[in-house]
Amino acid sequence: MTEKPKRPVKGPVDAMVIPRYAGFSTFARLPRIDEVDSFDVAVVGVPFDSGTTYRPGARFGPTAIRQASRLLRRYDPSLETEPFTWQQVVDAGDITCNPFDIETAIAQIQAAALDLRQGNHHLIAIGGDHTIALPLLRATRAGLDSLAVLHFDAHLDTWDTYFGARFTHGSPFRRAFEEGLLAGGKNVHVGTRGPIYSRADLDDDARFGFKVITSDDLDDLGVAEIVRQIRDRVGKSPLYISIDVDVMDPSHAPGTGTPEAGGISSRELLKMLRGLAGMNIVGADVVEVAPAYDHAEITSLAAAHLVYCLLSLFAREAGGDSKQGSWS
Amino acid sequence: MTEKPKRPVKGPVDAMVIPRYAGFSTFARLPRIDEVDSFDVAVVGVPFDSGTTYRPGARFGPTAIRQASRLLRRYDPSLETEPFTWQQVVDAGDITCNPFDIETAIAQIQAAALDLRQGNHHLIAIGGDHTIALPLLRATRAGLDSLAVLHFDAHLDTWDTYFGARFTHGSPFRRAFEEGLLAGGKNVHVGTRGPIYSRADLDDDARFGFKVITSDDLDDLGVAEIVRQIRDRVGKSPLYISIDVDVMDPSHAPGTGTPEAGGISSRELLKMLRGLAGMNIVGADVVEVAPAYDHAEITSLAAAHLVYCLLSLFAREAGGDSKQGSWS
Amino acid sequence: MTEKPKRPVKGPVDAMVIPRYAGFSTFARLPRIDEVDSFDVAVVGVPFDSGTTYRPGARFGPTAIRQASRLLRRYDPSLETEPFTWQQVVDAGDITCNPFDIETAIAQIQAAALDLRQGNHHLIAIGGDHTIALPLLRATRAGLDSLAVLHFDAHLDTWDTYFGARFTHGSPFRRAFEEGLLAGGKNVHVGTRGPIYSRADLDDDARFGFKVITSDDLDDLGVAEIVRQIRDRVGKSPLYISIDVDVMDPSHAPGTGTPEAGGISSRELLKMLRGLAGMNIVGADVVEVAPAYDHAEITSLAAAHLVYCLLSLFAREAGGDSKQGSWS
Amino acid sequence: MTEKPKRPVKGPVDAMVIPRYAGFSTFARLPRIDEVDSFDVAVVGVPFDSGTTYRPGARFGPTAIRQASRLLRRYDPSLETEPFTWQQVVDAGDITCNPFDIETAIAQIQAAALDLRQGNHHLIAIGGDHTIALPLLRATRAGLDSLAVLHFDAHLDTWDTYFGARFTHGSPFRRAFEEGLLAGGKNVHVGTRGPIYSRADLDDDARFGFKVITSDDLDDLGVAEIVRQIRDRVGKSPLYISIDVDVMDPSHAPGTGTPEAGGISSRELLKMLRGLAGMNIVGADVVEVAPAYDHAEITSLAAAHLVYCLLSLFAREAGGDSKQGSWS
Amino acid sequence: MTEKPKRPVKGPVDAMVIPRYAGFSTFARLPRIDEVDSFDVAVVGVPFDSGTTYRPGARFGPTAIRQASRLLRRYDPSLETEPFTWQQVVDAGDITCNPFDIETAIAQIQAAALDLRQGNHHLIAIGGDHTIALPLLRATRAGLDSLAVLHFDAHLDTWDTYFGARFTHGSPFRRAFEEGLLAGGKNVHVGTRGPIYSRADLDDDARFGFKVITSDDLDDLGVAEIVRQIRDRVGKSPLYISIDVDVMDPSHAPGTGTPEAGGISSRELLKMLRGLAGMNIVGADVVEVAPAYDHAEITSLAAAHLVYCLLSLFAREAGGDSKQGSWS
Amino acid sequence: MTEKPKRPVKGPVDAMVIPRYAGFSTFARLPRIDEVDSFDVAVVGVPFDSGTTYRPGARFGPTAIRQASRLLRRYDPSLETEPFTWQQVVDAGDITCNPFDIETAIAQIQAAALDLRQGNHHLIAIGGDHTIALPLLRATRAGLDSLAVLHFDAHLDTWDTYFGARFTHGSPFRRAFEEGLLAGGKNVHVGTRGPIYSRADLDDDARFGFKVITSDDLDDLGVAEIVRQIRDRVGKSPLYISIDVDVMDPSHAPGTGTPEAGGISSRELLKMLRGLAGMNIVGADVVEVAPAYDHAEITSLAAAHLVYCLLSLFAREAGGDSKQGSWS
């Protein structure tokens, strides 16, 4: 937390002037990317769900998360930051993804993400199913020496092909390992639970460099100890955070494609995230919001708060001073 | 139907390039008002529901209608028009309305509508509760010699004060009459039904210049005869069309504030609207969509199609030639 | 329509003083039976669903219908009556029914209905599943020479035992016939549709004195002709009207236990009912509202309007003069 | 209607023995294909939705339609048939479809349908999105000289490629035309409505041999006249009936992928279908049920009744005698 | 816990006689205020939501909470009390509030609450939005020397004007401070979380005499320690408890107006409340239940249990002896 | 964990061949009982809800749980078992229960369960309401010297008659005690909470041999200590586990008949269950899933995971070796 940005920052629409339920939906009512000259962090939608194996519908995730983000406000008292003031955040709209050809879509996402990453901008992708993590990892890893992955999910997502398809929402981290994108021995799954295909899945997963912290571990270890273990493992490595909302219990995230009972709460998840302050986070995604199964926006709301928390973590690195921040 | 517009028209986002579920929500994925130099018709949201007497929530109506309008396409085969090509349609965003002071909100709506009407632009407002019809009528009537109102609604909306309030969603047409906004003897209610306060309400209503065509009349007379009666009564007068979605049966429009059984279908309503081709329509609203009570967007979808039909009616007047229209 | 009631009538809570959504729920916000000295018509709940063969939940029907009736107003312009002024209507609360013993429940309903019928009061029961029609018919038939039944339903409800039970929601009219409650050759089913068990069901049904007017007949004959046929068949016989909300299409009445596609609309149903003005109606029920399957109260709203229409039919017989009616 | 089948027929589970809500779900609680030696008609699920352009989820359609079919009973009084007795109907389970490769899935569907069609069995497919109509048409057309298509749908489904994909839910009938599967000048769309891409779509469509009967025509012509026009056009040609549930209004079929306001009712649709009795129907599908958007099963219920009606039409051809039919 | 009340107490309707789902809805099926001569505690509805800034609908809260309270039973084993026997509890119905004029409504609430408070009766208000806390505090503070506030909420509700309105659901405690209603240094917020407008909000809040215990503190400190801190801070001061249901996580309370992820569970909240036994509680409210966003009554159920717990705390002070309590 | 079964085991349908959403629904896509020669554990549906006192609908529970179990996979990493490989598990379909006569239904359940128990097979019943626990206990106790009950539930379910009925969902364990089915002093309730009828209920309950571990105890003692207490109390006694899903909080299990706020999470419940590894479990039920009140299958999903965990506990006793297990 050192210095405030030199240039004026364009923040969200002022809720004292335009009610929160009014106006076009951008994430947190922030400016569109075309409304500013430059930016520090872009939130970008990736409306793609053709890699889904069970309940589809995450293609409507970005729209739902944007709508649920209207209640977000300027100051984050838990991290003592002003995420919209200390850095220029924009909504970069949605990446166009071919719904009928997974590999084309992956290429489109990779290209668009690379483009947005130009100049070392931070990117937070809102999905979309978990297939999108692979091209996002490719784009994030580009120009870095190594990249650790912190993966919040009920599932490992290191499965292999499914119905002959190499690229689905169950395989991004296996593919990422095979492509040499993952830092050895520095990756972590958090919130894993539920039945899997076989014991061998765990062996494979370990080979890909992941440590598994289960949903049950949360009861036994507590948030603070888990955060300590994550920090120990990742160290100072550049870190990509991938959050599948099904890491939360179906009660907290009904609107998702492959729900598993026994999950964590949004409070636990947010608290873990905040515990990562000071780590070298370089990119992130929040995926698998399937609004057709949501109720009263609870899944989208949780997703919006997760994005906000990620923005707040970036803001701490950007530094700032709330007295001096100009809010729109 | 005489001539196509001279200038190039900016149409909706091309669904062959960007999937319909992707990208920011504007009505029918049309350009925002700030993206074009001039326009012929503006769709504008009026997120206001503080005049509601029963179920509130229409403040979320404009957002829901925009989202449901993503499926609308370029060519209207029933009226043989290209509503997005033969005229420049824009989404003018939402009018800011004070949620805590009805009279302030009414003034805000009136001012914004007058501003958009500058240069004789057509305006289609998406509500919002029916309170908003009054300032919209004021803005539309300005500069005209007279104005007939064609009002689709389960209710008369010519009640007087309610809890001391003169301006609510039950009174816009009484107030309009009192303010001299309504053409004498040329106004029509269509779809009226259900119990009312007293027989005197009907006498008052007739005094304000309205003819009542009930929901039951639809069975007895049929769409064609009703259209004939409307055309006879309105004649060549400039016409404002106000559509409360509760004119439709609750099965077709569950997402509304004061539903009444025994209503009409979206098919009947659209057919009646199309019957108005060639009339001198100068403005319109589609109001009372309350998304919290909607299911699978059926109310919002109907509302989006109603707006499309209104745009198509305007397009017929604008004229055009689909071969020459440049679409985006 | 001759004379107004001699005594002052206590009407609904005044919506100009207490908003419609406020206050305890009685039907149409009318007085409870204990709040008046005498009454003409009682609306009574029968929260019983242990005779249901498929989706249960009609035990919550009375509460839902009362809640949905809050929007009903004083004057019925379609029948030109004041149902709450020209006669004293009360909400008689719910009849206690044993949920675990159908025959006990039937006896409880019969006794309570007989009690309310004392002094020739009219009774409108809100169910509850269709099992309740039998004890209601018994109570209504008592003291009459004969009783015709006009039955709106997707089903015949003249089946025999089911799992050994003689009294279920599929058998009330067979039992009624066997008990000699039904006027010979004067009964009518309206809205029948969908598959049945066997052709023999139709023969039995005819033997019990019913004529079948199907849902399809509505398209072919129209409301007016059907009304004519009903009036012809029933003549001046005392008439009991039993309305299973599943006579309406599932789109209009999703909240019910045994839905069948291809049904009628609430508009058609209300129009048929109003066509019965002047007939010798002596009692009625509106049954099979299962709120757990309803959406946005559309089924309950339709049911509330049906009860209102029945009250209006009674009011026409009671006569009155709106100028003299004192509305609470 | 001449002779009953020679062999004993295995009908649905007896609802007098096992309640309708109990037991495994097969269509109408009919036997699985492996429970009988031979069959006349197979109902088969095609859980595929990867050809969807807007709301996905039709992969769950077959399960939902089976669940909603539990209320279907043995005798169809409107067509005077016993669909489950006069012919052996089975549930052939679900065809396995690759969710990640449309062309593979199409090949799988085609192969499975050809296999089921062996011996001239009738097939009724329950979808799944409309992409599946193409392989079903291929399998049905095999061995026939020509095949007319009667297509109930809000859309034409004769579009061309979409995002480069030739096989989607918008293109089956264009592809079928190109492959020479469609009888020239004998095909009909019924229920078409809503905006389309361009006027040229209509020209293409006519070139493919389709006549368009719009949703509005239903009001103007009535069911009987439309049926007459269909019969005139198709004549004695073998006929494939393809029913997209979005031909119904969103109020009747909210659970679908690309809803359009202004549709027809389930009553109208069933009545039209029944009007086809005696035509040479050789196969059918009911597609685009997306249960995540359904409410209280109303879409699935309508779909189940449509399948029942198709079975009843086949039964009329099979002939039978209800007195002699052995019901399980 | 000293003495039982001298007079006979009228308890809830006996569920052994009338099933819980039957009969008119009063809170916990307790007597209406007009059914008893005197009372100790009144539960009163305040159906007002015109002070809402985001999702409206809390006007339907009192009805929903009453309906959800039908399952409450006589004996509270966690506090070892009989809340309906040791004290006379009544349902005082709903306070009439002008929906169109906030200040009028506030005056109406204040007057009605003062009236009910006559004779030192305890009052538990069920909202309604949080605007109502101000007039309730005024009425409770009247006649007391000081009043501490224990406020469970995701938000501080000490904001200033919003769109020029001084009285909204975001400002009750700032207004209460300004009016001198709050005991200095004795007030507590519990469950606060989520982003706020600015750091200055926290300074203001502290100046108004509040201590903040966040949602996260629950993980770190545990229920017992938080209870200890509350008791320390409030001491023996008369205490008003204000519970906004959004203090619970959206998974536990989806049916509310301004949900925030990361909240507490109903179990934690009830446990904290029970920890307050023996404190000098003089009034309470449970607000912000917006049923249109609820599912399966989970928000209303939690609210009903909160009211029950408050009644149980009052009962402990009233004292009693379950052996002697007469239950209806 | 000693030896693998001698015979080949038929496992679930392979999700690599048939997508999880495809094919007929059996529990976890396991074979039907008629597809194997013998079995070790049977999952059996008991679609009965006529013993329900509040919200009915659990008759649809078995179907919903089967549908939600499609996502379950072969290997349980938390218990290190292969529940579908180390033992032959089958879906035994639904037991036919008379919906109109509770005692007949109880006899039917008892007979069917005894039949399935032949040869010491393990039985896991999926309900249905809690009434079914009595006949299941009778069938399980047959041939055993004693039987302890571990009962997860918000309620004690040791009430006496209700409306004269001795057998309801509130009384199974009182009846079981009276019939001498329960081991003295070895039974435990877990998760109890909420108001009860009277203090005497607790005395009765203790007399029947139950220890109460409340929902609140979970916060105070933690899962590990509660597991220890259960193991201490039950010891080596044969153990029946009865899980009413309402032991979970309404946020986790909205789809149930008598919800109580303040419950436990699915994570806590699963963790407790897993803590029972090595105990002498002989039978189990998971009851009170009422799908009409569920959302996005969250209640059914939790129930499916509970059944899976019970199967996994049985598998540990069966022993096995994942390398040798043949998975269909």
Side-chain angles (χ1 to χ4, degrees), chain D residues 190-250:
Chain D
V190 181
T192 320
R193 66 187 183 277
I196 60 176
Y197 286 103
S198 84
R199 191 179 302 196
D201 295 354
L202 297 175
D203 301 334
D204 284 353
D205 193 75
R207 188 163 50 85
F208 305 155
F210 280 94
K211 173 189 172 66
V212 175
I213 297 174
T214 69
S215 171
D216 272 2
D217 289 335
L218 224 75
D219 280 316
D220 298 330
L221 305 177
V223 164
E225 170 59 17
I226 288 173
V227 163
R228 202 193 55 71
Q229 292 188 7
I230 294 169
R231 300 185 77 110
D232 269 12
R233 186 168 177 90
V234 175
K236 293 187 177 311
S237 171
L239 178 64
Y240 184 90
I241 300 176
S242 184
I243 308 176
D244 184 326
V245 296
D246 72 19
V247 72
M248 289 182 282
D249 192 81

Side-chain angles (χ1 to χ4, degrees), chain E residues 73 75 266-267 274 296-297, chain F residues 55 196 216 249 260 262 268:
Chain E
R73 283 171 290 264
Y75 182 67
S266 63
R267 189 170 84 201
R274 286 196 289 263
E297 305 179 290
Chain F
R55 295 172 178 172
I196 60 176
D216 272 0
D249 193 80
E260 304 275 344
E268 289 167 332

Side-chain angles (χ1 to χ4, degrees), chain F residues 183-269:
Chain F
K186 288 182 174 301
N187 310 297
V188 191
H189 300 292
V190 180
T192 320
R193 66 187 184 276
I196 60 176
Y197 285 103
S198 83
R199 190 179 303 195
D201 294 356
L202 296 175
D203 301 335
D204 283 353
D205 192 77
R207 188 162 51 86
F208 304 155
F210 279 94
K211 172 188 173 68
V212 175
I213 297 174
T214 69
S215 170
D216 272 0
D217 289 336
L218 224 75
D219 281 316
D220 298 330
L221 304 177
V223 165
E225 170 59 16
I226 287 173
V227 164
R228 204 194 54 72
Q229 291 188 9
I230 294 169
R231 299 185 78 110
D232 269 13
R233 187 167 176 93
V234 175
K236 294 186 177 313
S237 173
L239 177 65
Y240 184 91
I241 300 176
S242 185
I243 308 176
D244 184 327
V245 295
D246 73 19
V247 71
M248 288 181 283
D249 193 80
S251 59
H252 287 255
T256 196
T258 49
E260 304 275 344
I264 71 175
S265 68
S266 62
R267 188 170 86 201
E268 289 167 332
L269 180 50

Side-chain angles (χ1 to χ4, degrees), chain B residues 46-47 57-67 126-128 288-291 300:
Chain B
V46 191
R59 62 178 67 177
F60 289 100
T63 294
I65 296 171
R66 285 191 184 100
Q67 179 65 15
I126 48 178
E288 297 283 356
V289 172
S300 303

Side-chain angles (χ1 to χ4, degrees), chain B residues 121-132:
Chain B
H121 302 140
H122 291 310
L123 211 61
I124 303 176
I126 48 178
D129 76 45
H130 224 150
T131 310
I132 71 172

Side-chain angles (χ1 to χ4, degrees), chain B residues 60-78:
Chain B
F60 289 100
T63 294
I65 296 171
R66 285 191 184 100
Q67 179 65 15
S69 72
R70 288 172 174 267
L71 281 169
L72 297 171
R73 282 171 291 263
R74 178 166 66 147
Y75 181 66
D76 178 355
S78 55

Side-chain angles (χ1 to χ4, degrees), chain F residues 84-167:
Chain F
F84 306 145
T85 314
W86 293 0
Q87 56 194 351
Q88 179 64 59
V89 188
V90 297
D91 187 326
D94 284 347
I95 296 175
T96 296
C97 310
N98 189 313
F100 301 122
D101 186 317
I102 299 179
E103 301 198 24
T104 298
I106 285 177
Q108 289 171 313
I109 298 164
Q110 183 175 348
L114 268 170
D115 198 49
L116 288 165
R117 283 274 294 158
Q118 292 277 11
N120 251 343
H121 302 140
H122 291 311
L123 212 61
I124 302 177
I126 48 178
D129 77 44
H130 224 151
T131 310
I132 71 173
L134 180 64
L136 292 166
L137 281 170
R138 287 180 187 162
T140 307
R141 179 67 166 73
L144 295 176
D145 289 334
S146 88
L147 185 60
V149 166
L150 173 56
H151 173 221
F152 295 91
D153 200 322
H155 312 94
L156 299 171
D157 287 8
T158 50
W159 292 334
D160 204 337
T161 60
Y162 196 62
F163 285 86
R166 285 173 51 75
F167 304 102

